[in-house]
Amino acid sequence: MQTFFIVAILVFGFLITFQIAKASEYVSVLRGEEKSRKQSNRINAFLLLAFLIAGLFGVYYCNETLKGKLLKQSASYQGEHIDTMLWITLAITGVVFIATQIALFWFAFKYQESDTRKAYFYPHNNKLEVIWTVIPAITLTVLVGFGLYYWFNITSEAPKNAMVVEVTGSQFKWEFRYPGRDGILGKKYYRDINEAANNPLGQVWDDPANRDDIHTTGEVHLVVNKPVKFIIGSKDVIHDVGLVHFRMKMDAVPGTPTTMWFTPKYTTEQMKKITGNPNFVYELSCDQMCGKGHWSMRGVVIVETQEEFDSWMISQKPQYYVAFPEKDPSNPAYKADSTKTGSAAIIPTKNQIKTRQ
Amino acid sequence: MDAMNAHAEAIMTHEVHYDEHQAHHHNQSFISKYIFSQDHKTIAKQFLITGIIWAMIGGLFSVLFRLQLGFPGQSFPILETIFGKWAPGGEIKPEFYYALITMHGTILVFFVLTAGLSGTFANLLIPLQAGARDMASPFLNMLSYWFFFLASIVMLSSLFIQTGPAAGGWTVYPPLSALHTASIGSELGMDLWIVSMALFVVSSLLGGINYISTILNMRTKGMSMTRLPLTIWAVFFTAVLGVLSFPVLLSGLILLLFDRNLGTSFYLSDIVVNGQIMPNEGGSAILFQHLFWFLGHPEVYIIILPTMGIVSEIISINSRKPIFGYMAMVGSLFAICTLAFLVWAHHMFVTGMNPLLGSIFVLLTLLIAVPSAIKTFNWLTTMWRGNIRFTPAMLFSIGFVSMFISGGLTGIFVGNSTLDIQLHDTMFVVAHFHIVMGVSAFFGMFAGLYHWFPKMFGRYLNTTLGYIHFWVTLIGAYLIFWPMHYEGLAGMPRRYLDKSPWVSFSQFGDLDRMITIVSIIVYAVQLMFVFNFFYSIFKGRKVTTQNPWKANTLEWTTPIRPGHGNWPGEIPEVHRWPYDYSKDGRDFIPQTEPVGANESNEH
């Protein structure tokens, strides 16, 4: 019923508008077309000027209303470059925006048709053309210069001491893998992926480097002020690791690993204070459309101190033990099992790691 | 003067009759005149009306999915009425939401703003403004429309199949679009999408080569290239862009078709989808993006260049001044056309491409701002010290320039790879491209329609409705897209149908509601325009003078309702450029008038 009324009102409103429009056409014929044309010319010229003023005020009002909902300061050191770049670009384009919009609507108002004015025949002026070729070119060179300086800075090689985390996207979840004690991510092969056998990433169990790798789903822990390098991949379609608070983004492409690195600046707890939001969490969003669950493909990043991180890490069980619980030393069944097979510890010794390197 | 005009007209009309009795155009059946017509003017109308129908469908889709965005979780029974099983209980299912945005993008970008825009104005204006009886090949021109029609039928049919239309976004990135099980939209709907686009490419190529050869070979006597109106230059460069880039899209789509159905691995490697291990190894998903954007980026210029030409022409006529810097305008069109081929990878800064390669694309991308700035300043200078008439066409042209400035400047943000890291695939990008190529292009198209409607149909569009149309659309478009930048700056990703699970993106509920309500109003006003369009074809105020806008170009030397062949008798000879407005104290001097002995020789 409500829909019916809305449609009825719309149709009615339209009919009225249409009748007025049609009538105005007849009126203009009666009053003399030239005269009514000039009148509507004046009205439109005035409206253009009014639109300029209202529009500029609207820009200000919009900013006042929405600026509180924008991101607070960058939570990574790299993101600070991006914020600086944003301000430089905003300043330059802001000046151009205001100047050109004012010129456009002011000229429209000022040079509206009038019987007393003759239009000025002014086909070209090479000097002006050169000026407004050169000035934008110089301005853009400045923007390109800053942009590329920051770009190369952000996309440079990760520092040697960076923590490495592997990120894998799939419809519609995020999984993470830490290299474990040996500092090496074990080999993986996509054909070994088998959720039922607790091998969601396709780790090759023959590779000893895999046996201490830690696997988590949906949640990744990072250490504050410690650079982290993400090695990013996907199991099915293209996803994108979007870390809005760190101003970071990188596609997850099946078959082609990508990387990005950054240094978190604030822990999650500190960020709660900065944003004034007790429920604040760093979120990892999928930014590349990946299917029907794209909008809900969420991960959580927890930034904490080294101690907190270490104690969390100790509590994690390598995926190898999840896949083969009988080989887990903390499993009660383990001892019996190991006495039977007589196999030594599964975790590779330091010597083994060295030979691998 | 008026009396003379009327007299001249009487002669013209008389001659038309004479011509029709005498020569080759007699005995036209309804089918050969209105359906399988080879008259460029009729073909232009066919493109236009098909484009309008598509625009109504594509626009309606955006309004309907905006309901979902503005009022998440709320039930709209009308959605179930329209979409049936795709919106059970009046709420759009996520898979269908993605189908809707995919079709919205595809329809608006290709079917409306490419075929509907270029097809209409290139077909209408090239022979009329360059001085030719018809296109170089009227038959290929007719085929161009009918291939577009076939493409439309195939795309339309994909809306009604059981698994629904393509749902991978208008960019159809594989592997999502290549794997049948990755998404319901990657079933038959995706194959139909590819077939439809293949037909579309054929249509576009047939049209494009025709436009180019007509412009190069069939200009009337005296019409040197530098005497062409800027509209013709614009559609010329548009056609060049299309002819050189659409084949690349076709090649990319054919490889995609192979990957989908023949087991090849051009784009696929190391994939496990829904627990199923795929045999494909060694392909590159990024390869498709390169092929796609090699068309995809020129495509946005294919959309915007014709409107730049239209707007240049209309601003000059209604300011009663020559376009400022004609050669600079042509030069900047050429520069944009060239650079358009060298910037495609700026859509791919965060795909993991080599940062050095990315930096080159940053440089080339921001270079495009230079010719764009030249054009903007030249439009402003054209209006400066003019004597401006605010016809609806002129208002839409001013709106175009305003939108082009707003959207062009945000291009400097996203074209810079450093900022693109943050802004890529957020609502900022949505706001940017909707303003600069969606709204701007529509404004240019509306300007052209209000301006050349009298030439097409011999009647005027209702001016009062035109003013209402302009003001509501201008204000509405800014209300919709300006605040959307803020969502993007806050990091809200695009193509999220519900933000409620997120801590970081759920703060814009009020804004999303406002945008939805405004978009409904703006859409209703576009329907009003469509009504005005069809009503005015039959009942509009009649055009009584041959040259209602007092313009210089050749189309206004034809009879009010030109027959096939455009000019009864000889095609007029051209003696000057088309922009002699307010020269030597004269309001306008048509191109057909010989240069007088005492005329000042500026330009």
Side-chain angles (χ1 to χ4, degrees):
Chain A
M1 203 59 193
Q2 204 186 359
T3 324
F4 172 76
F5 273 119
I6 292 171
V7 171
I9 288 168
L10 279 177
V11 170
F12 191 62
F14 172 73
L15 282 176
I16 292 174
T17 318
F18 176 64
Q19 289 304 326
I20 292 172
K22 233 171 71 174
S24 72
E25 216 168 46
Y26 296 132
V27 170
S28 80
V29 173
L30 287 176
R31 282 181 50 194
E33 292 194 34
E34 196 58 15
K35 199 175 153 196
S36 62
R37 189 182 68 74
K38 281 180 178 162
Q39 190 190 22
S40 69
N41 218 60
R42 281 192 297 276
I43 295 172
N44 278 299
F46 171 77
L47 286 176
L48 285 166
L49 185 66
F51 177 78
L52 172 69
I53 295 163
L56 290 177
F57 176 75
V59 168
Y60 168 80
Y61 175 80
C62 176
N63 186 56
E64 286 301 302
T65 317
L66 296 178
K67 68 181 178 189
K69 299 185 176 185
L70 294 179
L71 293 164
K72 301 292 180 291
Q73 66 249 50
S74 167
S76 76
Y77 291 96
Q78 287 68 24
E80 287 173 353
H81 293 323
I82 293 174
D83 284 356
T84 315
M85 192 65 229
L86 189 67
W87 283 113
I88 296 171
T89 311
L90 201 58
I92 291 176
T93 54
V95 170
V96 177
F97 172 80
I98 291 179
T100 47
Q101 296 282 7
I102 288 179
L104 175 68
F105 289 99
W106 175 247
F107 287 173
F109 176 75
K110 175 115 197 287
Y111 301 110
Q112 61 176 292
E113 186 182 25
S114 129
D115 295 335
T116 55
R117 183 184 300 109
K118 280 263 175 289
Y120 173 49
F121 185 78
Y122 191 48
H124 61 95
N125 179 333
N126 291 342
K127 204 167 135 194
L128 277 181
E129 299 282 6
V130 170
I131 289 174
W132 55 59
T133 307
V134 171
I135 290 179
I138 292 172
T139 319
L140 289 163
T141 311
V142 172
L143 288 173
V144 170
F146 277 111
L148 293 187
Y149 173 75
Y150 294 135
W151 168 249
F152 284 122
N153 197 309
I154 295 166
T155 57
S156 60
E157 280 293 317
K160 283 271 180 302
N161 65 340
M163 173 170 124
V164 175
V165 183
E166 183 191 73
V167 185
T168 306
S170 61
Q171 290 178 331
F172 299 97
K173 64 177 187 292
W174 294 106
E175 290 167 274
F176 306 92
R177 184 160 66 123
Y178 293 87
R181 246 175 228 201
D182 61 356
I184 300 169
L185 287 165
K187 285 187 191 133
K188 57 174 193 173
Y189 182 44
Y190 82 102
R191 288 183 194 237
D192 289 347
I193 291 176
N194 189 340
E195 298 273 354
N198 281 316
N199 191 2
L201 297 176
Q203 285 169 278
V204 179
W205 296 127
D206 291 344
D207 181 3
N210 259 323
R211 300 193 177 172
D212 62 347
D213 288 2
I214 307 288
H215 170 269
T216 64
T217 303
E219 193 176 286
V220 62
H221 289 244
L222 304 177
V223 179
V224 68
N225 287 323
K226 184 172 184 181
V228 56
K229 177 183 177 181
F230 280 176
I231 297 172
I232 301 164
S234 164
K235 284 192 248 178
D236 39 39
V237 305
I238 300 178
H239 302 275
D240 183 283
V241 178
L243 295 167
V244 57
H245 304 97
F246 305 106
R247 317 283 194 266
M248 283 290 146
K249 198 167 289 160
M250 182 53 76
D251 279 359
V253 186
T256 317
T258 57
T259 61
M260 78 175 171
W261 75 274
F262 62 95
T263 314
K265 199 176 169 189
Y266 305 111
T267 63
T268 302
E269 291 304 317
Q270 284 171 319
M271 216 43 193
K272 283 180 182 170
K273 292 203 185 79
I274 289 169
T275 57
N277 178 2
N279 299 320
F280 175 85
V281 281
Y282 289 117
E283 284 175 314
L284 192 168
S285 55
C286 179
D287 284 3
Q288 180 65 58
M289 187 173 153
C290 58
K292 67 175 177 183
H294 170 54
W295 58 282
S296 59
M297 188 166 160
R298 178 173 179 266
V300 170
V301 182
I302 292 167
V303 180
E304 53 202 4
T305 60
Q306 185 74 50
E307 297 78 56
E308 289 167 327
F309 178 81
D310 291 344
S311 63
W312 171 78
M313 188 49 99
I314 285 170
S315 72
Q316 297 297 307
K317 185 184 282 188
Q319 187 66 17
Y320 183 66
Y321 295 144
V322 181
F324 303 101
E326 72 279 8
K327 296 184 176 165
D328 183 351
S330 66
N331 187 339
Y334 166 74
K335 274 217 172 106
D337 194 44
S338 67
T339 42
K340 241 185 262 167
T341 55
S343 69
I346 297 103
I347 297 172
T349 63
K350 280 207 167 139
N351 282 338
Q352 276 173 304
I353 296 170
K354 277 200 182 125
T355 42
R356 271 183 56 82
Q357 281 165 340
Chain B
M1 191 69 192
D2 272 345
M4 261 178 70
N5 267 346
H7 182 60
E9 231 163 67
I11 292 171
M12 294 283 191
T13 11
H14 182 71
E15 277 179 2
V16 173
H17 285 291
Y18 184 71
D19 197 44
E20 274 175 3
H21 282 296
Q22 272 249 322
H24 25 275
H25 306 302
H26 59 275
N27 287 340
Q28 278 203 324
S29 66
F30 179 82
I31 289 181
S32 70
K33 193 169 177 193
Y34 291 110
I35 299 177
F36 294 108
S37 170
Q38 298 187 17
D39 182 349
H40 69 101
K41 298 184 291 297
T42 308
I43 295 170
K45 291 172 197 168
Q46 290 174 327
F47 269 109
L48 176 58
I49 289 170
T50 315
I52 288 177
I53 292 168
W54 272 123
M56 286 164 67
I57 298 172
L60 178 68
F61 283 177
S62 74
V63 168
L64 295 176
F65 69 66
R66 272 294 339 166
L67 284 178
Q68 168 75 41
L69 291 177
F71 305 91
Q74 199 163 321
S75 164
F76 294 93
I78 187 170
L79 292 177
E80 191 169 9
T81 317
I82 297 175
F83 296 136
K85 64 163 180 166
W86 296 110
E91 234 186 307
I92 299 174
K93 283 167 89 169
E95 48 268 55
F96 194 62
Y97 172 82
Y98 288 114
L100 284 177
I101 59 165
T102 302
M103 295 319 281
H104 169 74
T106 307
I107 288 169
L108 268 300
V109 168
F110 292 112
F111 288 56
V112 180
L113 292 175
T114 302
L117 179 65
S118 279
T120 304
F121 289 103
N123 271 311
L124 179 74
L125 296 178
I126 289 172
L128 281 173
Q129 289 195 328
R133 298 252 177 239
D134 205 316
M135 286 289 177
S137 171
F139 180 70
L140 288 188
N141 207 26
M142 178 184 82
L143 281 187
S144 165
Y145 173 74
W146 287 103
F147 269 100
F148 171 50
F149 186 81
L150 278 179
S152 297
I153 294 293
V154 174
M155 192 64 82
L156 196 65
S157 67
S158 80
L159 294 173
F160 297 99
I161 59 175
Q162 196 192 359
T163 49
W170 77 281
T171 55
V172 295
Y173 282 178
L176 181 60
S177 61
L179 304 168
H180 291 264
T181 48
S183 150
I184 194 169
S186 301
E187 302 276 3
L188 182 61
M190 194 58 225
D191 289 317
L192 291 175
W193 193 94
I194 294 173
V195 170
S196 170
M197 286 309 298
L199 292 167
F200 186 88
V201 171
V202 173
S203 155
S204 167
L205 291 180
L206 289 174
I209 49 175
N210 234 328
Y211 306 153
I212 294 170
S213 44
T214 310
I215 294 170
L216 289 181
N217 298 314
M218 298 183 62
R219 302 185 310 277
T220 186
K221 195 178 172 196
M223 182 66 91
S224 61
M225 288 300 276
T226 50
R227 283 180 182 168
L228 283 172
L230 285 170
T231 36
I232 304 303
W233 273 110
V235 292
F236 175 71
F237 285 122
T238 306
V240 171
L241 282 171
V243 166
L244 294 181
S245 64
F246 267 114
V248 180
L249 174 74
L250 185 61
S251 69
L253 291 181
I254 287 171
L255 301 187
L256 180 58
L257 201 62
F258 286 1
D259 271 10
R260 287 176 52 75
N261 299 314
L262 301 180
T264 55
S265 307
F266 291 107
Y267 307 129
L268 304 177
S269 186
D270 301 13
I271 288 168
V272 181
V273 59
N274 289 329
Q276 184 197 352
I277 294 163
M278 304 296 289
N280 313 71
E281 282 187 71
S284 165
I286 302 301
L287 170 64
F288 178 84
Q289 299 187 18
H290 282 290
L291 294 174
F292 180 87
W293 287 114
F294 192 81
L295 161 90
H297 198 79
E299 172 63 30
V300 307
Y301 295 103
I302 289 173
I303 287 172
I304 207 72
L305 287 189
T307 60
M308 285 176 164
I310 289 169
V311 161
S312 302
E313 182 74 10
I314 291 172
I315 289 185
S316 169
I317 291 172
N318 289 290
S319 300
R320 311 311 297 166
K321 273 187 67 189
I323 190 78
F324 182 79
Y326 176 86
M327 288 312 285
M329 289 304 241
V330 176
S332 53
L333 284 175
F334 175 72
I336 292 174
C337 177
T338 312
L339 286 171
F341 286 110
L342 304 172
V343 300
W344 77 89
H346 69 207
H347 298 270
M348 301 163 58
F349 286 141
V350 299
T351 55
M353 73 195 293
N354 186 320
L356 181 66
L357 187 60
S359 70
I360 293 164
F361 280 99
V362 173
L363 182 68
L364 291 164
T365 300
L366 293 208
L367 259 185
I368 290 197
V370 175
S372 308
I374 294 173
K375 296 197 85 68
T376 306
F377 289 128
N378 284 2
W379 287 319
L380 294 177
T381 315
T382 304
M383 287 170 62
W384 176 71
R385 293 187 65 185
N387 202 17
I388 304 171
R389 293 172 185 174
F390 298 109
T391 60
M394 181 62 178
L395 288 174
F396 273 108
S397 300
I398 292 172
F400 169 92
V401 177
S402 174
M403 287 289 169
F404 185 70
I405 293 170
S406 302
L409 288 173
T410 52
I412 294 175
F413 289 66
V414 288
N416 196 328
S417 54
T418 300
L419 290 180
D420 191 60
I421 298 173
Q422 188 194 346
L423 299 175
H424 186 83
D425 266 333
T426 63
M427 293 304 280
F428 191 93
V429 178
V430 175
H432 158 70
F433 73 71
H434 273 93
I435 289 184
V436 80
M437 69 174 225
V439 182
S440 291
F442 264 106
F443 272 42
M445 191 171 175
F446 288 136
L449 287 180
Y450 281 99
H451 190 79
W452 280 291
F453 191 88
K455 192 75 260 166
M456 287 187 212
F457 299 105
R459 291 171 187 270
Y460 294 98
L461 283 164
N462 184 298
T463 312
T464 310
L465 288 183
Y467 289 142
I468 296 172
H469 179 209
F470 168 72
W471 283 108
V472 176
T473 311
L474 179 74
I475 294 167
Y478 268 122
L479 282 177
I480 292 169
F481 293 115
W482 185 270
M484 208 180 263
H485 291 101
Y486 283 79
E487 295 186 338
L489 284 171
M492 186 198 288
R494 34 188 307 209
R495 296 159 166 169
Y496 272 26
L497 64 128
D498 183 0
K499 273 77 79 176
S500 54
W502 298 86
V503 177
S504 314
F505 314 128
S506 52
Q507 71 272 42
F508 289 106
D510 293 340
L511 180 60
D512 273 333
R513 259 189 299 287
M514 187 278 280
I515 290 176
T516 297
I517 291 166
V518 175
S519 67
I520 292 170
I521 296 169
V522 170
Y523 182 71
V525 169
Q526 308 315 306
L527 290 184
M528 190 188 78
F529 165 76
V530 173
F531 176 83
N532 188 8
F533 180 86
F534 287 107
Y535 179 85
S536 300
I537 289 177
F538 303 104
K539 296 274 173 93
R541 189 160 54 93
K542 275 193 175 165
V543 178
T544 49
T545 60
Q546 202 181 2
N547 188 358
W549 313 121
K550 300 197 171 58
N552 290 340
T553 40
L554 285 182
E555 75 271 31
W556 307 107
T557 63
T558 61
I560 289 174
R561 284 169 170 274
H564 196 174
N566 298 336
W567 286 270
E570 291 280 294
I571 303 176
E573 189 182 341
V574 163
H575 299 278
R576 59 176 74 237
W577 77 326
Y579 296 107
D580 274 336
Y581 293 102
S582 301
K583 189 187 186 192
D584 293 342
R586 288 181 61 191
D587 186 30
F588 69 110
I589 312 176
Q591 281 189 284
T592 48
E593 192 176 309
V595 179
N598 302 325
E599 207 171 304
S600 57
N601 63 358
E602 196 169 5
H603 195 84

